Amino acid sequence: MVSTPRRRFLNTLGGQAAVAAAASAGSGWLWAAQAASNTVKPGTDAALIVVDVQNCFVTGGTLPVKDGEQVVPVINALAPKFKNIVVTQDWHTKGHASFASAHAGKKPFENVMLKYGQQVLWPDHCVQGTDDAALHKDLNLPSAQLVIRKGYNPGVDSYSAFMEADRKTATGLAGYLKARGIKTVFVSGLATDFCVGWTAMDARKAGFKVYVIEDACRAIDLNGSLAAAWKAMAKAGCKRVQSADIA
Ligand code: VGL
Ligand code: ZN
């Protein structure tokens, strides 16, 4: 169906009318109407992408995301609802260009201009083969089919699981998903405003339908980056959902 602005307007009105009618019928009905309208069931052509749930990004890691470990039970509970699961790992070389320590006089969370553009500088993190780069030990995804590693080119970062920061070098994930007939991806993990956000937006660019599961993610939130990421994701057509909305 063609989604014209007018059609969207009508749909919105219809939705509000339905909720208003349900409200007058009692709060139980209101809840049921809202739950029904938000629920989404991943089909056989959907994949859950679990982004960077690694020791580096949780408490005790080298680049801890606040409450990062809290995504683990949420993602474990979601996993049985998906036939297809892909896991990513941030996987940097020692002395990687995204590390502040690789730039004289620079501190973590400052910016630098690299060949491909602005780069936020981070503490050394997720160095290949270290315990810091390992997946969180409580992540329980026995049915996951692919682990894709990114950020392994010494001079180029890769927040996105699809495309490196030069915006030219593909990781191969889009080809893998397409070859397997995947049409929709659900994105979870760390961090909402960096690797999750870039992965979600690149998934849209690659032609996938995209849901971002908000409570299955946690953010770094550097200078308003979380609000900016949600805005950019919405503009790119990523749908924001909660784990409770997934059937
Ligand atoms: C990430 C900053 C640097 C992430 C990775 O996983 O969001 N953030 N490297
Ligand atoms: Zn990184």
Side-chain angles (χ1 to χ4, degrees):
M1 180 169 58
V2 182
S3 185
T4 61
R6 176 160 172 79
R7 161 111 26 225
R8 278 198 294 277
F9 176 71
L10 291 172
N11 281 349
T12 304
L13 262 190
Q16 282 172 352
V19 170
S24 65
S27 61
W29 284 101
L30 175 60
W31 178 85
Q34 285 177 334
S37 66
N38 291 336
T39 297
V40 46
K41 186 173 169 59
T44 54
D45 63 352
L48 176 66
I49 304 181
V50 180
V51 176
D52 298 4
V53 183
Q54 296 166 267
N55 294 330
C56 26
F57 298 119
V58 302
T59 306
T62 49
L63 178 43
V65 176
K66 188 173 181 290
D67 300 327
E69 56 281 353
Q70 291 180 9
V71 303
V72 172
V74 181
I75 291 169
N76 288 348
L78 282 168
K81 302 179 175 185
F82 288 86
K83 190 161 177 289
N84 308 291
I85 302 178
V86 171
V87 175
T88 78
Q89 279 178 293
D90 210 36
W91 201 248
H92 298 309
T93 48
K94 240 187 257 173
H96 193 263
S98 73
F99 296 173
S101 63
H103 304 269
K106 288 287 184 183
K107 289 200 257 324
F109 311 108
E110 290 179 355
N111 279 272
V112 75
M113 190 56 87
L114 297 183
K115 262 181 249 151
Y116 53 80
Q118 281 269 329
Q119 171 70 49
V120 181
L121 295 173
W122 304 103
D124 291 23
H125 66 281
C126 292
V127 171
Q128 298 174 358
T130 62
D131 187 56
D132 191 57
L135 294 172
H136 192 287
K137 66 172 174 29
D138 297 330
L139 198 60
N140 184 24
L141 303 173
S143 67
Q145 296 138 355
L146 177 75
V147 178
I148 189 146
R149 291 166 165 174
K150 61 185 179 62
Y152 49 73
N153 278 326
V156 187
D157 204 0
S158 192
Y159 296 146
S160 164
F162 289 92
M163 196 66 84
E164 294 188 359
D166 62 3
R167 304 279 85 204
K168 286 200 281 270
T169 310
T171 64
L173 181 57
Y176 168 86
L177 292 172
K178 284 177 185 174
R180 294 208 45 231
I182 302 296
K183 299 267 191 296
T184 304
V185 299
F186 290 74
V187 190
S188 64
L190 305 170
T192 321
D193 41 350
F194 288 92
C195 293
V196 168
W198 283 70
T199 296
M201 289 191 282
D202 276 356
R204 286 291 301 141
K205 270 196 198 150
F208 298 98
K209 185 167 185 181
V210 178
Y211 293 93
V212 179
I213 312 169
E214 183 170 18
D215 60 320
C217 303
R218 290 294 184 280
I220 294 173
D221 204 9
L222 194 62
N223 308 317
S225 57
L226 179 60
W230 280 121
K231 205 171 162 191
M233 286 191 277
K235 195 170 170 216
C238 305
K239 293 184 162 57
R240 180 171 172 171
V241 292
Q242 309 302 317
S243 60
D245 299 333
I246 297 170

